[in-house]
Amino acid sequence: PGGLAAVRDGPAGVIARGAAIDVAKGPGMVCTRVPRESGGGRRVQRTWQVAARYASIVALMDELAGAGIERLVLESTNVIRGPEA
């Protein structure tokens, strides 16, 4: 908690534990894919919503670190509507 994250560009190779966050103006959608605890080559995917509040983001980062997430991908969607909207 409270540590800095490294940001790297370039090929990732094989990522065993990954997460993605799709951020809009309000809450973000989080998705993780991690190996199944029992092994067997299958993965467990979990998707949930997180509030765009400081305390929620700090808790999310702690949860992702605890899950051993190796790479986090962030997508920010900005929808601009024209006068016809």
Side-chain angles (χ1 to χ4, degrees):
L4 298 176
V7 177
R8 290 179 243 141
D9 290 329
V14 175
I15 303 297
R17 295 176 175 269
I21 303 175
D22 185 359
V23 180
K25 286 186 176 182
M29 290 301 296
V30 180
C31 177
T32 58
R33 274 181 66 90
V34 298
R36 195 175 292 279
E37 293 283 329
S38 61
R42 300 198 48 132
R43 298 191 176 277
V44 176
Q45 180 169 313
R46 179 175 166 227
T47 304
W48 71 100
Q49 193 172 54
V50 65
R53 304 268 189 271
Y54 181 79
S56 300
I57 300 301
V58 170
L60 172 64
M61 297 313 294
D62 286 344
E63 184 174 345
L64 295 177
I69 296 299
E70 299 171 332
R71 176 72 50 106
L72 174 65
V73 178
L74 177 67
E75 178 182 347
S76 180
T77 307
N78 185 9
V79 178
I80 299 173
R81 296 179 185 244
E84 69 279 353

